[in-house]
Amino acid sequence: MSASHNFSAADIISANIEGIERGLKIAMVQLQTELRVRLSKKGSGAGYFGGSKGKGSFRTRSAPGEPPAVDTGTLRNSVQSKPQYIAGTGMTSIVLAGLVAGVNKDARIPRWLEYGTSRMKARPFIAPSLEVVRPSVAGTISDQMQRSIKRMQTRAMKAAQ
């Protein structure tokens, strides 16, 4: 038995918005994963003894142009995608919370690493991660929009029974 349903434009728009939000959340998790993978690699630059007065363990810096080498894992662990609801708009923004809030409360560190300073060459990790994830974002959003429309149709068919 097949039932025909007429959906209002508002229903279709709502389903599409739901699909876009789901697709963006998936893309942000993919970006978060890619960033964490990049920030988990050991460096291939100069070695040094870390810790207080150089008496700690031996560590290897990242070479210029490489992502920052993992040391304590603080930067890597700060990468978290969080939905952030914008009051009064009914919209959701998804932010990479740790990179915005900064590492150890210093939001300048990720920027210094990404773009370099007058004393340190860049160790980009955000732009290369975006380039890896970018090609799949439109397809992910499109797929989630189609799934949302199918969910809407399924709900309507169940309600009609």
Side-chain angles (χ1 to χ4, degrees):
M1 181 172 166
S2 174
S4 176
H5 298 283
N6 292 323
F7 297 103
S8 70
D11 291 337
I12 295 169
I13 290 171
S14 177
N16 281 326
I17 290 172
E18 176 187 320
I20 292 168
E21 285 182 342
R22 286 175 183 256
L24 286 173
K25 287 178 184 176
I26 290 169
M28 288 305 293
V29 169
Q30 290 170 338
L31 179 59
Q32 173 181 316
T33 302
E34 180 63 28
L35 282 164
R36 286 187 175 180
V37 166
R38 285 185 184 278
L39 293 172
S40 295
K41 296 180 180 173
K42 293 186 177 187
S44 64
Y48 68 102
F49 284 95
S52 177
K53 298 181 183 174
K55 295 181 180 178
S57 60
F58 185 78
R59 300 171 182 174
T60 307
R61 291 182 174 97
S62 58
E66 288 182 350
V70 68
D71 188 7
T72 62
T74 302
L75 178 61
R76 176 189 58 216
N77 295 337
S78 76
V79 177
Q80 301 171 7
S81 57
K82 289 184 178 178
Q84 189 175 60
Y85 300 99
I86 303 169
T89 65
M91 298 181 69
T92 303
S93 171
I94 302 169
V95 298
L96 289 172
L99 297 179
V100 173
V103 179
N104 293 331
K105 307 282 190 272
D106 193 341
R108 299 173 297 178
I109 293 172
R111 185 179 63 223
W112 290 340
L113 291 167
E114 184 73 11
Y115 300 109
T117 67
S118 62
R119 302 171 83 195
M120 176 189 75
K121 294 197 185 223
R123 267 81 172 159
F125 63 102
I126 299 171
S129 296
L130 284 168
E131 291 304 315
V132 168
V133 174
R134 182 176 288 152
S136 67
V137 172
T140 300
I141 292 171
S142 176
D143 180 52
Q144 291 302 313
M145 288 171 69
Q146 289 174 359
R147 288 177 181 217
S148 291
I149 294 289
K150 284 182 182 177
R151 277 192 294 275
M152 179 185 69
Q153 291 170 336
T154 302
R155 285 191 295 259
M157 289 181 67
K158 284 183 181 178
Q161 292 179 354

